[in-house]
Amino acid sequence: MLNLAIEIENLTCDFETVRALDKLTLEVQPGIVFGFLGPNGAGKTTTIRMLLGLLQPTSGRARVLGYDTQSQAAEIRACTGALLEHHGLYEQMNAYDNLEFYGRVNRMPTSERQARIQELLTQMGLWERRAEATKKWSRGMKQKLALARVLLHRPALVLLDEPTAGLDVPSANSVRNDLEALVASEGTTVFLTTHNMAEAERLCSQIAVIKDGQLQAIGHPDELRARSGSAQLEIIGSGFIEPVLEALRARPEVMAVQAQNGHLKINLSAQADSAELVSLLVSQGAKVREARHQSASLEEVFLTLVEETR
């Protein structure tokens, strides 16, 4: 069994005076959705192109499914699927013929190819419209067909660069549902870039955050939230007058306090005891109807990681 789907060691890529990737090192376990997050220009797309052997590193090394990206790029592209900035569809052709073409390119036997096309189009909800030219389709439908194209030859690894970018909410959610179901049923490893934190939190069991070509953090979403060292206590009630707020601000575990229209939001250190703070409020004369303790969201963690060195 393959130990690692992706292994990157000190990978560096320079474009003249710009360092797009700076000694990146990380590992991706097989059979998971791995989120690769970062702001625009962080080096995400550059990394994907290097993993596919489309760009050569300035220094460092990477292996994909056991193959070296510099000397075995053809082998890597044969056993992976990639959806980058373009969907790769021939819009004058219908949905079925698009997949038929790509199945032939990948030298899939006729019976296997036909069965797989029907399977994917059915799972994507596109089978009834297989004979339509894709130029008539919405962007969401094209993206679903592009995902089917990527998965057609049952690749062990799929690299997806912002697959739901620009889609409306129902279309994006539908693509996520399809991706989630297909990964679960086929055990494919997915290397996913996205700017949508809810999407990353829902799909990814491991996340790496990159900024200016450098790795900032890596771990399960829960681990990243825990490392942020912050949480929030939201309280609904009344009596949140200034002396009460001052008593809260005097506590060392309280980082910030905001009160508005019967809602009190308290930013806390991760080690704070919410029950003690609620008791303090009551002792100061405030009335508490509801209290909710929340860990930092993945979006908050991400913003902290990419902004803290600015």
Side-chain angles (χ1 to χ4, degrees):
M1 181 178 176
L2 188 68
N3 291 326
L4 293 171
I6 297 173
E7 182 181 5
I8 299 174
E9 183 179 345
N10 291 320
L11 204 61
T12 299
C13 182
D14 294 330
F15 295 110
E16 297 182 354
T17 60
V18 176
R19 174 151 288 187
L21 213 58
D22 190 5
K23 297 180 181 178
L24 178 67
T25 296
L26 59 83
E27 296 177 346
V28 178
Q29 300 294 327
I32 68 169
V33 180
F34 185 94
F36 195 53
L37 311 183
N40 290 333
K44 303 184 300 296
T45 301
T46 296
T47 300
I48 288 182
R49 292 185 175 280
M50 295 176 78
L51 292 175
L52 291 169
L54 300 175
L55 281 176
Q56 293 299 307
T58 304
S59 62
R61 58 181 288 273
R63 298 185 70 84
V64 175
L65 301 174
Y67 296 110
D68 183 88
T69 58
Q70 296 183 64
S71 60
Q72 298 174 298
E75 289 87 343
I76 290 172
R77 290 194 287 270
C79 57
T80 60
L83 181 54
L84 305 181
E85 62 267 32
H86 302 295
H87 52 58
L89 303 175
Y90 293 93
E91 297 197 0
Q92 300 300 322
M93 295 167 59
N94 65 37
Y96 190 97
D97 287 345
N98 262 282
L99 297 188
E100 173 74 11
F101 170 76
Y102 279 106
R104 289 175 178 270
V105 168
N106 285 287
R107 300 180 181 178
M108 297 176 68
T110 301
S111 59
E112 177 187 346
R113 183 175 70 243
Q114 293 174 347
R116 180 65 167 165
I117 290 172
Q118 182 171 356
E119 176 188 13
L120 286 171
L121 290 179
T122 300
Q123 288 177 338
M124 298 286 186
L126 301 174
W127 178 249
E128 298 302 321
R129 303 185 67 171
R130 64 190 181 278
E132 296 178 9
T134 58
K135 66 179 180 180
K136 300 177 181 179
W137 283 10
S138 68
R139 182 168 180 176
M141 291 177 63
K142 290 176 184 176
Q143 197 73 343
K144 287 161 72 74
L145 182 60
L147 188 57
R149 171 187 67 76
V150 169
L151 294 165
L152 183 63
H153 60 300
R154 300 185 190 276
L157 170 68
V158 173
L159 301 106
L160 304 176
D161 195 3
E162 300 183 38
T164 59
L167 300 184
D168 59 31
V169 172
S171 296
N173 190 59
S174 181
V175 169
R176 290 184 201 112
N177 289 339
D178 293 331
L179 179 60
E180 201 169 33
L182 288 164
V183 169
S185 64
E186 301 188 12
T188 306
T189 306
V190 176
F191 190 85
L192 171 73
T193 79
T194 180
H195 287 297
N196 188 308
M197 296 299 112
E199 179 172 276
E201 192 149 17
R202 169 180 165 179
L203 296 175
C204 302
S205 55
Q206 194 83 351
I207 287 174
V209 178
I210 186 175
K211 177 192 173 186
D212 295 332
Q214 297 180 334
L215 183 66
Q216 303 296 306
I218 187 169
H220 187 277
D222 291 340
E223 294 174 345
L224 296 182
R225 281 193 294 268
R227 282 187 221 167
S228 72
S230 63
Q232 187 175 86
L233 178 63
E234 183 176 359
I235 295 175
I236 300 174
S238 60
F240 303 140
I241 59 178
E242 192 58 33
V244 174
L245 303 184
E246 288 300 322
L248 282 174
R249 293 187 182 109
R251 297 287 297 234
E253 69 270 39
V254 175
M255 301 165 64
V257 178
Q258 290 181 318
Q260 187 175 18
N261 299 327
H263 283 70
L264 188 62
K265 291 186 178 181
I266 310 171
N267 292 339
L268 307 169
S269 64
Q271 296 78 27
D273 187 332
S274 298
E276 285 188 11
L277 295 175
V278 171
S279 296
L280 173 63
L281 286 168
V282 173
S283 71
Q284 294 288 320
K287 294 182 179 180
V288 176
R289 294 202 308 271
E290 184 178 345
R292 291 192 293 266
H293 185 279
Q294 298 175 322
S295 299
S297 68
L298 185 60
E299 181 173 349
E300 291 168 332
V301 173
F302 174 80
L303 289 173
T304 298
L305 288 168
V306 300
E307 292 179 354
E308 60 187 6
T309 56
R310 286 185 178 179

mmCIF file of all heavy atoms in Angstrom, residues 275-304:
data_model
loop_
_atom_site.group_PDB
_atom_site.id
_atom_site.type_symbol
_atom_site.label_atom_id
_atom_site.label_comp_id
_atom_site.label_asym_id
_atom_site.label_seq_id
_atom_site.Cartn_x
_atom_site.Cartn_y
_atom_site.Cartn_z
ATOM 1 N N ALA A 275 -18.026 29.350 32.372
ATOM 2 C CA ALA A 275 -18.938 29.337 33.518
ATOM 3 C C ALA A 275 -18.571 30.415 34.530
ATOM 4 O O ALA A 275 -19.447 31.075 35.116
ATOM 5 C CB ALA A 275 -18.916 27.958 34.181
ATOM 6 N N GLU A 276 -17.278 30.622 34.727
ATOM 7 C CA GLU A 276 -16.834 31.655 35.667
ATOM 8 C C GLU A 276 -17.255 33.042 35.202
ATOM 9 O O GLU A 276 -17.659 33.889 36.007
ATOM 10 C CB GLU A 276 -15.317 31.600 35.835
ATOM 11 C CG GLU A 276 -14.826 30.436 36.677
ATOM 12 C CD GLU A 276 -13.337 30.545 36.959
ATOM 13 O OE1 GLU A 276 -12.751 31.611 36.678
ATOM 14 O OE2 GLU A 276 -12.767 29.560 37.460
ATOM 15 N N LEU A 277 -17.158 33.268 33.906
ATOM 16 C CA LEU A 277 -17.523 34.574 33.374
ATOM 17 C C LEU A 277 -19.023 34.814 33.447
ATOM 18 O O LEU A 277 -19.466 35.939 33.713
ATOM 19 C CB LEU A 277 -17.022 34.706 31.937
ATOM 20 C CG LEU A 277 -15.502 34.704 31.781
ATOM 21 C CD1 LEU A 277 -15.117 34.714 30.305
ATOM 22 C CD2 LEU A 277 -14.879 35.883 32.495
ATOM 23 N N VAL A 278 -19.804 33.789 33.219
ATOM 24 C CA VAL A 278 -21.254 33.924 33.351
ATOM 25 C C VAL A 278 -21.606 34.234 34.806
ATOM 26 O O VAL A 278 -22.452 35.097 35.099
ATOM 27 C CB VAL A 278 -21.966 32.645 32.870
ATOM 28 C CG1 VAL A 278 -23.453 32.692 33.216
ATOM 29 C CG2 VAL A 278 -21.793 32.466 31.370
ATOM 30 N N SER A 279 -20.944 33.543 35.740
ATOM 31 C CA SER A 279 -21.178 33.813 37.170
ATOM 32 C C SER A 279 -20.806 35.242 37.528
ATOM 33 O O SER A 279 -21.500 35.908 38.319
ATOM 34 C CB SER A 279 -20.358 32.830 38.021
ATOM 35 O OG SER A 279 -20.790 31.513 37.827
ATOM 36 N N LEU A 280 -19.712 35.742 36.948
ATOM 37 C CA LEU A 280 -19.300 37.114 37.196
ATOM 38 C C LEU A 280 -20.369 38.097 36.723
ATOM 39 O O LEU A 280 -20.708 39.061 37.431
ATOM 40 C CB LEU A 280 -17.978 37.398 36.487
ATOM 41 C CG LEU A 280 -17.491 38.846 36.508
ATOM 42 C CD1 LEU A 280 -17.206 39.291 37.940
ATOM 43 C CD2 LEU A 280 -16.253 39.014 35.635
ATOM 44 N N LEU A 281 -20.918 37.840 35.538
ATOM 45 C CA LEU A 281 -21.960 38.713 35.007
ATOM 46 C C LEU A 281 -23.173 38.757 35.932
ATOM 47 O O LEU A 281 -23.712 39.830 36.236
ATOM 48 C CB LEU A 281 -22.383 38.247 33.614
ATOM 49 C CG LEU A 281 -21.422 38.520 32.466
ATOM 50 C CD1 LEU A 281 -21.846 37.756 31.224
ATOM 51 C CD2 LEU A 281 -21.344 40.011 32.172
ATOM 52 N N VAL A 282 -23.597 37.583 36.402
ATOM 53 C CA VAL A 282 -24.763 37.502 37.277
ATOM 54 C C VAL A 282 -24.490 38.228 38.597
ATOM 55 O O VAL A 282 -25.341 38.960 39.121
ATOM 56 C CB VAL A 282 -25.141 36.029 37.529
ATOM 57 C CG1 VAL A 282 -26.249 35.929 38.579
ATOM 58 C CG2 VAL A 282 -25.593 35.370 36.228
ATOM 59 N N SER A 283 -23.271 38.040 39.111
ATOM 60 C CA SER A 283 -22.920 38.707 40.377
ATOM 61 C C SER A 283 -22.883 40.225 40.241
ATOM 62 O O SER A 283 -23.067 40.947 41.225
ATOM 63 C CB SER A 283 -21.568 38.197 40.880
ATOM 64 O OG SER A 283 -20.506 38.670 40.055
ATOM 65 N N GLN A 284 -22.665 40.707 39.008
ATOM 66 C CA GLN A 284 -22.631 42.146 38.754
ATOM 67 C C GLN A 284 -24.013 42.719 38.416
ATOM 68 O O GLN A 284 -24.140 43.903 38.116
ATOM 69 C CB GLN A 284 -21.663 42.436 37.604
ATOM 70 C CG GLN A 284 -20.207 42.131 37.922
ATOM 71 C CD GLN A 284 -19.613 43.131 38.895
ATOM 72 O OE1 GLN A 284 -19.878 44.329 38.804
ATOM 73 N NE2 GLN A 284 -18.820 42.650 39.848
ATOM 74 N N GLY A 285 -25.043 41.847 38.457
ATOM 75 C CA GLY A 285 -26.403 42.310 38.237
ATOM 76 C C GLY A 285 -26.945 42.109 36.840
ATOM 77 O O GLY A 285 -28.097 42.480 36.564
ATOM 78 N N ALA A 286 -26.158 41.534 35.941
ATOM 79 C CA ALA A 286 -26.650 41.269 34.587
ATOM 80 C C ALA A 286 -27.576 40.056 34.592
ATOM 81 O O ALA A 286 -27.468 39.174 35.453
ATOM 82 C CB ALA A 286 -25.480 41.034 33.646
ATOM 83 N N LYS A 287 -28.488 40.041 33.639
ATOM 84 C CA LYS A 287 -29.383 38.893 33.471
ATOM 85 C C LYS A 287 -28.965 38.111 32.227
ATOM 86 O O LYS A 287 -28.869 38.687 31.143
ATOM 87 C CB LYS A 287 -30.836 39.356 33.348
ATOM 88 C CG LYS A 287 -31.363 40.006 34.616
ATOM 89 C CD LYS A 287 -32.819 40.409 34.465
ATOM 90 C CE LYS A 287 -33.334 41.038 35.753
ATOM 91 N NZ LYS A 287 -34.772 41.447 35.638
ATOM 92 N N VAL A 288 -28.733 36.813 32.394
ATOM 93 C CA VAL A 288 -28.254 35.964 31.305
ATOM 94 C C VAL A 288 -29.350 34.991 30.903
ATOM 95 O O VAL A 288 -29.800 34.176 31.717
ATOM 96 C CB VAL A 288 -26.984 35.183 31.721
ATOM 97 C CG1 VAL A 288 -26.555 34.234 30.612
ATOM 98 C CG2 VAL A 288 -25.859 36.157 32.073
ATOM 99 N N ARG A 289 -29.816 35.095 29.671
ATOM 100 C CA ARG A 289 -30.838 34.164 29.158
ATOM 101 C C ARG A 289 -30.207 32.999 28.403
ATOM 102 O O ARG A 289 -30.724 31.887 28.418
ATOM 103 C CB ARG A 289 -31.806 34.903 28.227
ATOM 104 C CG ARG A 289 -32.646 35.957 28.915
ATOM 105 C CD ARG A 289 -33.906 36.263 28.120
ATOM 106 N NE ARG A 289 -33.630 36.586 26.743
ATOM 107 C CZ ARG A 289 -33.383 37.817 26.299
ATOM 108 N NH1 ARG A 289 -33.346 38.838 27.169
ATOM 109 N NH2 ARG A 289 -33.163 38.051 25.032
ATOM 110 N N GLU A 290 -29.106 33.260 27.720
ATOM 111 C CA GLU A 290 -28.478 32.208 26.906
ATOM 112 C C GLU A 290 -26.993 32.507 26.773
ATOM 113 O O GLU A 290 -26.586 33.670 26.661
ATOM 114 C CB GLU A 290 -29.128 32.161 25.519
ATOM 115 C CG GLU A 290 -28.637 31.047 24.624
ATOM 116 C CD GLU A 290 -29.350 31.028 23.282
ATOM 117 O OE1 GLU A 290 -30.405 31.682 23.151
ATOM 118 O OE2 GLU A 290 -28.838 30.346 22.366
ATOM 119 N N ALA A 291 -26.170 31.450 26.801
ATOM 120 C CA ALA A 291 -24.721 31.611 26.633
ATOM 121 C C ALA A 291 -24.215 30.523 25.701
ATOM 122 O O ALA A 291 -24.569 29.347 25.854
ATOM 123 C CB ALA A 291 -24.007 31.529 27.983
ATOM 124 N N ARG A 292 -23.395 30.935 24.733
ATOM 125 C CA ARG A 292 -22.835 29.978 23.773
ATOM 126 C C ARG A 292 -21.324 30.182 23.688
ATOM 127 O O ARG A 292 -20.858 31.306 23.446
ATOM 128 C CB ARG A 292 -23.453 30.164 22.383
ATOM 129 C CG ARG A 292 -24.911 29.772 22.302
ATOM 130 C CD ARG A 292 -25.353 29.698 20.846
ATOM 131 N NE ARG A 292 -25.355 31.012 20.226
ATOM 132 C CZ ARG A 292 -26.426 31.809 20.141
ATOM 133 N NH1 ARG A 292 -27.573 31.418 20.642
ATOM 134 N NH2 ARG A 292 -26.332 32.983 19.551
ATOM 135 N N HIS A 293 -20.575 29.092 23.892
ATOM 136 C CA HIS A 293 -19.115 29.127 23.786
ATOM 137 C C HIS A 293 -18.709 28.529 22.445
ATOM 138 O O HIS A 293 -19.126 27.425 22.103
ATOM 139 C CB HIS A 293 -18.481 28.336 24.927
ATOM 140 C CG HIS A 293 -16.989 28.421 24.957
ATOM 141 N ND1 HIS A 293 -16.179 27.645 24.153
ATOM 142 C CD2 HIS A 293 -16.153 29.199 25.692
ATOM 143 C CE1 HIS A 293 -14.919 27.943 24.389
ATOM 144 N NE2 HIS A 293 -14.866 28.878 25.318
ATOM 145 N N GLN A 294 -17.932 29.276 21.684
ATOM 146 C CA GLN A 294 -17.532 28.822 20.355
ATOM 147 C C GLN A 294 -16.021 28.940 20.202
ATOM 148 O O GLN A 294 -15.421 29.939 20.606
ATOM 149 C CB GLN A 294 -18.207 29.663 19.260
ATOM 150 C CG GLN A 294 -19.726 29.569 19.257
ATOM 151 C CD GLN A 294 -20.335 30.513 18.237
ATOM 152 O OE1 GLN A 294 -19.862 31.623 18.052
ATOM 153 N NE2 GLN A 294 -21.394 30.062 17.579
ATOM 154 N N SER A 295 -15.434 27.887 19.598
ATOM 155 C CA SER A 295 -14.022 27.987 19.235
ATOM 156 C C SER A 295 -13.877 28.927 18.056
ATOM 157 O O SER A 295 -14.850 29.239 17.358
ATOM 158 C CB SER A 295 -13.473 26.599 18.869
ATOM 159 O OG SER A 295 -13.570 25.723 19.950
ATOM 160 N N ALA A 296 -12.671 29.385 17.822
ATOM 161 C CA ALA A 296 -12.427 30.237 16.664
ATOM 162 C C ALA A 296 -12.811 29.489 15.394
ATOM 163 O O ALA A 296 -12.567 28.285 15.272
ATOM 164 C CB ALA A 296 -10.958 30.639 16.617
ATOM 165 N N SER A 297 -13.433 30.185 14.449
ATOM 166 C CA SER A 297 -13.780 29.556 13.180
ATOM 167 C C SER A 297 -12.526 29.358 12.349
ATOM 168 O O SER A 297 -11.481 30.002 12.582
ATOM 169 C CB SER A 297 -14.768 30.430 12.404
ATOM 170 O OG SER A 297 -14.130 31.628 11.966
ATOM 171 N N LEU A 298 -12.623 28.473 11.365
ATOM 172 C CA LEU A 298 -11.482 28.259 10.483
ATOM 173 C C LEU A 298 -11.133 29.546 9.736
ATOM 174 O O LEU A 298 -9.961 29.838 9.498
ATOM 175 C CB LEU A 298 -11.795 27.134 9.484
ATOM 176 C CG LEU A 298 -10.639 26.716 8.581
ATOM 177 C CD1 LEU A 298 -9.453 26.212 9.397
ATOM 178 C CD2 LEU A 298 -11.096 25.626 7.595
ATOM 179 N N GLU A 299 -12.137 30.335 9.390
ATOM 180 C CA GLU A 299 -11.873 31.603 8.709
ATOM 181 C C GLU A 299 -11.058 32.538 9.601
ATOM 182 O O GLU A 299 -10.119 33.187 9.137
ATOM 183 C CB GLU A 299 -13.188 32.273 8.305
ATOM 184 C CG GLU A 299 -12.994 33.586 7.571
ATOM 185 C CD GLU A 299 -14.294 34.155 7.036
ATOM 186 O OE1 GLU A 299 -15.315 33.442 7.045
ATOM 187 O OE2 GLU A 299 -14.286 35.321 6.609
ATOM 188 N N GLU A 300 -11.403 32.600 10.883
ATOM 189 C CA GLU A 300 -10.648 33.446 11.812
ATOM 190 C C GLU A 300 -9.210 32.964 11.967
ATOM 191 O O GLU A 300 -8.269 33.761 12.011
ATOM 192 C CB GLU A 300 -11.356 33.474 13.167
ATOM 193 C CG GLU A 300 -12.684 34.214 13.154
ATOM 194 C CD GLU A 300 -13.502 33.995 14.409
ATOM 195 O OE1 GLU A 300 -13.349 32.925 15.042
ATOM 196 O OE2 GLU A 300 -14.294 34.882 14.758
ATOM 197 N N VAL A 301 -9.042 31.641 12.040
ATOM 198 C CA VAL A 301 -7.698 31.075 12.137
ATOM 199 C C VAL A 301 -6.896 31.414 10.889
ATOM 200 O O VAL A 301 -5.732 31.830 10.964
ATOM 201 C CB VAL A 301 -7.770 29.545 12.322
ATOM 202 C CG1 VAL A 301 -6.370 28.927 12.258
ATOM 203 C CG2 VAL A 301 -8.437 29.202 13.651
ATOM 204 N N PHE A 302 -7.530 31.252 9.723
ATOM 205 C CA PHE A 302 -6.857 31.544 8.455
ATOM 206 C C PHE A 302 -6.414 33.004 8.398
ATOM 207 O O PHE A 302 -5.267 33.311 8.051
ATOM 208 C CB PHE A 302 -7.804 31.225 7.297
ATOM 209 C CG PHE A 302 -7.276 31.612 5.945
ATOM 210 C CD1 PHE A 302 -6.368 30.806 5.282
ATOM 211 C CD2 PHE A 302 -7.686 32.791 5.331
ATOM 212 C CE1 PHE A 302 -5.870 31.163 4.034
ATOM 213 C CE2 PHE A 302 -7.205 33.157 4.090
ATOM 214 C CZ PHE A 302 -6.290 32.339 3.442
ATOM 215 N N LEU A 303 -7.318 33.915 8.756
ATOM 216 C CA LEU A 303 -6.980 35.335 8.709
ATOM 217 C C LEU A 303 -5.842 35.669 9.667
ATOM 218 O O LEU A 303 -4.961 36.472 9.351
ATOM 219 C CB LEU A 303 -8.214 36.173 9.046
ATOM 220 C CG LEU A 303 -9.314 36.184 7.981
ATOM 221 C CD1 LEU A 303 -10.553 36.906 8.488
ATOM 222 C CD2 LEU A 303 -8.819 36.833 6.691
ATOM 223 N N THR A 304 -5.845 35.035 10.818
ATOM 224 C CA THR A 304 -4.753 35.253 11.774
ATOM 225 C C THR A 304 -3.426 34.795 11.184
ATOM 226 O O THR A 304 -2.409 35.493 11.281
ATOM 227 C CB THR A 304 -5.026 34.490 13.080
ATOM 228 O OG1 THR A 304 -6.228 34.991 13.678
ATOM 229 C CG2 THR A 304 -3.874 34.680 14.064
#
